[in-house]
């Protein structure tokens, strides 16, 4: 039988030598895998526990680091792992569900999390992991687990004046986790006789401020510590967090509060911890999606960060199409299936989902970890994902290019897209890249209102935040000019709103443009600007551009695999916000009034793609001139 190695029993003193390497004891993992992290990892990789690709990756990472982590100053302290795992059944009682009233014995996946977070140390003796990401389907006891970790770190982890905070998008949601902690502090301690009652509160270990559901803080007098809940938008001036437990990350509108709390954690001495719990986020839940993708990269080895721990329970991609019919894979996303969450509940949900599209989408995401878009997503997520890629502007030089421009009216989002026509695998192919502009003033307020991290994107150069309270179109004109100077731009398609201001701005930077008024009108000098209709009306005028035609061309290119759209979270946000409206003839356009947020990128992309399919060459007589109008 193949063996794996476990680093055990290292004291802080013996964990590092003058050469910087750890003195370790190496033994066979299988007979000695009595800590919950290593035992779970072995069981998963041996196929004894059903798990998806990301959980398997986390388990491989754990075992791999047991082998070679010492070279990076990492030490797994089995004793500490067992101590903190043992805290749960020794001190805490389950307060709801089928195990109510029983000691809080950690579920296998719980044990993997707790043993990993508290067992892994750096060579200086401090905790290795500073941030943890826990993503599972609904009903897997994430909140009670996080509440138990909070109680442990409040008064039982050896930290004086510890401050623990439960946070969420709003106070009600933050209180879900906090109320679990309150309930456990008020519950009868484990292994008491039926006629004997003694709780952490009754024996004075903790003091709970507030009564019933109105409790608002737990205090641990012996260490002068506290545990309380806060909404993510609450002011956090002053707190010195030892632990931050953030629940329902997929509901966070911006990452701003998480970054503030993380900054507060980073300022603390010792080994504070931030734990983020969530269901799988939808494609338009930007904050959750970006965090999940970060942890996916770390646990799969695509990125290196020894301070991040991830447990991501999802069905595998190959399971997605048949997930409703294949109960054998459900445990991949629901690691507590039929333990804390009855399988019959999932079956009932699935039966409903078969009959309703909206229920199907939410069931796939919330129960099986499939990151679907919302029910109004203008195309399927699979189709959208298939066309995402990297478009290198420098590699496009020499190809014919068309631009699409959607100008903001004041301080919203302006989008400029370029569409190049080239070849891929010997076939005609379109390549699209989009640039975004917003104002620096008020960017945090718009982030909150639009549920989009504009400030983060601006820092990452995904959006250009221009100075002032309104977008100066000279910045946009300068970008158009740079593209025009570098590429073979045929023309720019535009929405008529504010185009006059854009033309004036171009003239101020000595960039000549002219507005195309029809084939019979004289041409101007400089960049040609062509109006693009925005509504559902089909314009039968020769060479006219309109949204129904452009959307059709864009959809055809996506479904045919004939387009690559430069992957950007800003563009994905616009795509996920977009809602299609149609007239009685099924002529379709994007509906800005009904859309869930900014869709400017989808408008400019559609304009550019539609423009790329309009040759602006002399055409023959129309069909009506050849055959006349048919009367029915």
């Amino acid at each position: 039988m193949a063996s794996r190695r476990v680093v055990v029993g290292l004291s802080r003193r013996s964990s590092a030598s003058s050469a910087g390497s750890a003195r370790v004891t190496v033994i066979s993992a299988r007979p000695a895998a009595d800590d919950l992290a290593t035992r779970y990892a072995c069981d998963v990789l041996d196929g004894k526990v059903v798990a998806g690709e990301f959980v398997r990756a986390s388990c491989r990472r754990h075992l791999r680091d047991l082998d070679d982590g010492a070279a990076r100053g990492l030490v797994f302290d089995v004793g500490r792992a067992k101590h903190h795992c043992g805290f749960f059944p020794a001190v805490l009682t389950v307060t709801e569900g089928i195990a109510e009233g029983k000691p809080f014995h950690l579920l296998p996946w719980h044990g993997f999390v707790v043993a990993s977070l508290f067992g892994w140390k750096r060579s200086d003796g401090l905790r290795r992991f500073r941030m943890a990401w826990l993503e599972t389907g609904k009903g897997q006891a994430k909140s009670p687990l996080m509440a138990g970790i909070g109680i442990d770190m409040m008064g039982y982890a050896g930290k004086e004046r510890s401050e623990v905070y439960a946070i969420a998008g709003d106070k009600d949601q933050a209180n879900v986790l906090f109320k679990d902690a309150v309930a456990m502090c008020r519950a009868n301690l484990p292994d008491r006789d039926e006629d004997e009652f003694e709780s952490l509160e009754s024996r004075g270990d903790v003091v709970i401020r507030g009564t019933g559901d109105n409790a608002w803080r737990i205090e641990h007098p012996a260490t002068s510590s506290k545990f309380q809940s806060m909404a993510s938008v609450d002011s956090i001036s002053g707190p010195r967090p030892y632990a931050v437990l953030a629940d329902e990350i997929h509901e966070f509108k911006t990452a701003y509060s998480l970054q503030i709390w993380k900054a507060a954690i980073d300022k603390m001495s010792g080994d504070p911890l931030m734990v983020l719990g969530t269901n799988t986020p939808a494609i338009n839940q930007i904050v959750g999606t970006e965090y999940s993708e970060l942890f996916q990269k770390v646990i799969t080895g695509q990125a290196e960060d020894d301070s991040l721990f991830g447990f991501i329970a999802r069905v595998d991609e190959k399971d997605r199409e048949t997930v409703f019919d294949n109960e054998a894979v459900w445990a991949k996303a629901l690691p507590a299936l039929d333990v804390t969450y009855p399988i019959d509940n999932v079956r009932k949900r699935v039966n409903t989902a078969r009959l309703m599209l909206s229920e199907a989408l939410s069931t796939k995401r919330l129960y099986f970890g499939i990151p679907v878009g919302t029910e109004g997503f203008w195309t399927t997520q699979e189709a959208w994902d298939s066309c995402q890629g990297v478009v290198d502007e420098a590699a496009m030089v020499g190809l014919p290019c068309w631009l699409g421009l959607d100008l903001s009216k004041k301080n919203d989002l302006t989008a400029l897209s370029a569409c190049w026509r080239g070849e891929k695998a010997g076939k005609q192919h379109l390549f699209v890249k989009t640039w975004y502009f917003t104002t620096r003033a008020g960017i945090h307020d718009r982030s909150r209102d639009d549920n989009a991290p504009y400030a983060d994107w601006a820092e990452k150069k995904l959006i250009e935040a221009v100075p002032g309270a309104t977008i100066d179109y000279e910045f946009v004109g300068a970008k158009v000019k740079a593209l025009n100077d570098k590429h073979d731009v045929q023309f720019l398609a535009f929405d008529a709103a504010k185009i006059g201001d854009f033309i004036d701005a171009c003239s101020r930077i000595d960039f000549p443009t002219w507005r195309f008024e029809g084939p019979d009108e004289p041409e101007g000098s400089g960049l040609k600007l062509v109006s693009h209709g925005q509504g559902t009306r089909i314009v039968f005028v020769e060479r006219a551009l309109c949204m129904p035609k452009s959307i059709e061309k864009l959809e055809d290119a996506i479904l045919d695999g004939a387009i690559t759209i430069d992957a950007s979270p800003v563009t994905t946000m616009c795509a996920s916000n977009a809602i299609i409206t149609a007239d009685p003839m099924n002529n379709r356009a994007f509906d800005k009034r009904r859309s869930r947020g900014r869709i400017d990128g989808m408008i400019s992309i559609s304009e550019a793609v539609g423009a790329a399919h309009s040759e602006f060459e002399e055409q023959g007589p129309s069909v009506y001139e050849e055959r006349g109008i048919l009367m029915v």
Side-chain angles (χ1 to χ4, degrees):
M1 182 178 291
S3 65
R4 298 189 177 100
R5 295 182 296 162
V6 180
V7 179
V8 298
L10 292 177
S11 67
R12 183 181 304 182
R13 184 172 183 175
S14 67
S15 64
S17 67
S18 59
S21 61
R23 179 171 61 82
V24 301
T25 302
V26 179
I27 58 178
S28 170
R30 292 183 183 274
D34 56 349
D35 73 273
L36 297 186
T38 308
R39 184 186 309 167
Y40 182 81
C42 290
D43 286 347
V44 165
L45 296 179
D46 287 344
K48 296 177 181 178
V49 173
V50 176
E53 60 176 316
F54 294 122
V55 171
R56 295 195 298 272
S58 292
C59 292
R60 282 193 295 270
R61 183 191 189 200
H62 174 78
L63 296 179
R64 183 173 59 249
D65 287 346
L66 290 176
D67 278 340
D68 57 27
R72 307 198 307 279
L74 303 178
V75 178
F76 187 69
D77 188 331
V78 174
R80 295 304 296 170
K82 289 183 176 181
H83 172 80
H84 286 277
C85 289
F87 168 81
F88 282 77
V91 179
L92 305 178
T93 300
V94 179
T95 59
E96 64 177 330
I98 59 177
E100 183 177 354
K102 297 180 180 179
F104 194 155
H105 290 289
L106 293 172
L107 299 170
W109 83 269
H110 287 168
F112 179 71
V113 170
V114 174
S116 295
L117 294 182
F118 291 97
W120 278 107
K121 293 182 177 180
R122 305 183 318 208
S123 58
D124 58 6
L126 297 179
R127 198 186 339 270
R128 167 194 180 177
F129 294 119
R130 307 272 288 196
M131 180 181 284
W133 178 264
L134 311 181
E135 178 185 324
T136 73
K138 290 181 68 66
Q140 304 308 292
K142 287 190 300 295
S143 295
L145 171 64
M146 294 167 67
I149 291 173
I151 295 171
D152 187 2
M153 296 189 69
M154 172 188 65
Y156 302 91
K159 171 72 173 177
E160 294 288 329
R161 299 173 63 192
S162 172
E163 296 183 15
V164 177
Y165 296 93
I167 69 170
D170 57 55
K171 193 62 172 286
D172 289 340
Q173 186 60 58
N175 278 336
V176 171
L177 187 159
F178 179 72
K179 287 178 180 178
D180 281 337
V182 170
M184 285 188 276
C185 288
R186 287 176 169 162
N188 204 14
L189 288 167
D191 298 324
R192 296 302 190 268
D193 294 334
E194 291 184 3
D195 59 349
E196 179 186 8
F197 181 83
E198 185 179 30
S199 67
L200 293 176
E201 181 185 35
S202 69
R203 72 183 190 183
D205 286 9
V206 302
V207 175
I208 299 176
R209 303 297 182 184
T211 59
D213 288 341
N214 294 320
W216 54 278
R217 187 165 69 196
I218 305 170
E219 298 174 356
H220 189 260
T223 58
S224 301
S225 300
K226 65 181 180 180
F227 183 173
Q228 68 185 72
S229 67
M230 298 181 72
S232 65
V233 295
D234 289 345
S235 171
I236 61 170
S237 176
R240 297 165 55 83
Y242 184 53
V244 175
L245 312 169
D247 205 7
E248 305 293 353
I249 301 300
H250 61 285
E251 298 290 351
F252 275 56
K253 293 184 177 181
T254 76
Y256 180 70
S257 61
L258 293 177
Q259 293 167 347
I260 295 297
W261 281 104
K262 182 61 167 61
I265 282 277
D266 291 341
K267 292 179 181 178
M268 293 292 294
S269 60
D271 51 3
L273 176 66
M274 189 171 191
V275 182
L276 311 179
T278 189
N279 301 129
T280 296
I283 191 173
N284 62 326
Q285 292 174 318
I286 303 297
V287 174
T289 296
E290 290 191 335
Y291 271 93
S292 183
E293 290 177 348
L294 167 63
F295 282 86
Q296 289 172 36
K297 291 178 180 178
V298 170
I299 63 180
T300 57
Q302 299 176 57
E304 293 185 7
D305 192 329
D306 281 330
S307 71
L308 301 184
F309 171 84
F311 184 92
I312 300 176
R314 296 180 175 185
V315 300
D316 294 328
E317 189 170 349
K318 63 183 175 60
D319 304 323
R320 293 179 180 180
E321 291 298 321
T322 59
V323 69
F324 286 170
D325 301 312
N326 188 4
E327 292 187 4
V329 304
W330 290 1
K332 293 180 180 180
L334 303 168
L337 184 64
D338 233 15
V339 179
T340 64
Y341 201 84
I343 193 171
D344 281 344
N345 289 4
V346 184
R347 288 170 179 156
K348 291 175 182 177
R349 176 83 184 205
V350 166
N351 287 338
T352 302
R354 296 179 196 276
L355 304 175
M356 298 176 61
L357 175 60
S358 59
E359 286 293 312
L361 292 172
S362 61
T363 299
K364 286 181 177 181
R365 178 174 66 85
L366 295 175
Y367 288 84
F368 302 124
I370 301 173
V372 298
T374 55
E375 64 271 18
F377 194 62
W378 74 284
T379 188
T380 66
Q381 186 186 348
E382 291 77 13
W384 178 255
D385 289 344
S386 71
C387 71
Q388 301 299 291
V390 176
V391 175
D392 181 5
E393 182 192 340
M396 300 293 109
V397 173
L399 298 178
C401 175
W402 293 262
L403 305 179
L405 178 63
D406 187 61
L407 295 167
S408 63
K409 294 182 179 179
K410 186 178 179 183
N411 62 353
D412 298 329
L413 196 64
T414 285
L416 169 67
S417 295
C419 177
W420 292 272
R421 192 170 64 195
E423 287 190 355
K424 184 177 181 180
K427 296 181 179 180
Q428 189 175 101
H429 198 84
L430 300 179
F431 302 87
V432 175
K433 189 177 182 70
T434 302
W435 295 266
Y436 296 91
F437 304 82
T438 191
T439 58
R440 189 172 295 123
I443 195 169
H444 291 294
D445 291 337
R446 291 197 305 283
S447 294
R448 181 193 62 242
D449 295 342
D450 291 356
N451 186 19
Y454 294 133
D456 296 345
W457 289 339
E459 186 175 344
K460 296 175 183 177
K461 308 301 183 184
L462 299 172
I463 291 179
E464 182 173 352
V466 303
T470 59
I471 293 180
D472 186 340
Y473 291 152
E474 289 185 16
F475 286 92
V476 184
K479 182 60 184 179
V480 174
K481 181 178 186 300
L483 289 169
N484 189 63
D485 290 345
K486 186 176 181 180
H487 296 279
D488 183 18
V489 176
Q490 307 299 300
F491 62 85
L492 179 148
F494 65 87
D495 176 1
K498 309 295 287 184
I499 192 63
D501 293 338
F502 174 74
I503 293 173
D504 291 341
C506 290
S507 66
R508 290 195 297 272
I509 62 173
D510 296 324
F511 176 38
T513 61
W514 63 280
R515 188 166 178 172
F516 176 77
E517 299 290 353
D520 297 329
E521 298 297 323
E523 295 190 357
S525 60
L527 176 65
K528 181 192 297 184
L529 309 179
V530 181
S531 179
H532 190 292
Q534 298 298 306
T536 58
R537 189 168 71 94
I538 290 284
V539 180
F540 290 102
V541 176
E542 187 180 14
R543 305 176 186 177
L545 299 173
C546 57
M547 195 56 74
K549 293 180 181 177
S550 294
I551 288 178
E552 180 182 359
K553 297 299 184 183
L554 175 58
E555 286 182 337
D556 288 347
I558 291 174
L559 295 176
D560 292 342
I563 188 171
T564 298
I565 297 175
D566 191 61
S568 163
V570 194
T571 302
T572 295
M573 175 197 72
C574 293
S576 63
N577 285 336
I579 289 178
I580 295 287
T581 186
D583 66 13
M585 299 299 293
N586 200 34
N587 298 316
R588 297 169 302 149
F590 293 114
D591 191 335
K592 282 192 173 183
R593 291 175 298 177
R594 291 176 54 234
S595 293
R596 289 172 290 270
R598 305 298 172 198
I599 64 171
D600 309 81
M602 288 313 304
I603 291 175
S604 63
I605 288 172
S606 298
E607 289 174 340
V609 170
H613 285 85
S614 179
E615 296 299 323
F616 272 76
E617 296 175 350
E618 290 297 329
Q619 302 176 5
S622 73
V623 65
Y624 305 106
E625 293 174 326
E626 289 185 333
R627 74 173 188 205
I629 298 177
L630 298 179
M631 304 297 291
V632 296

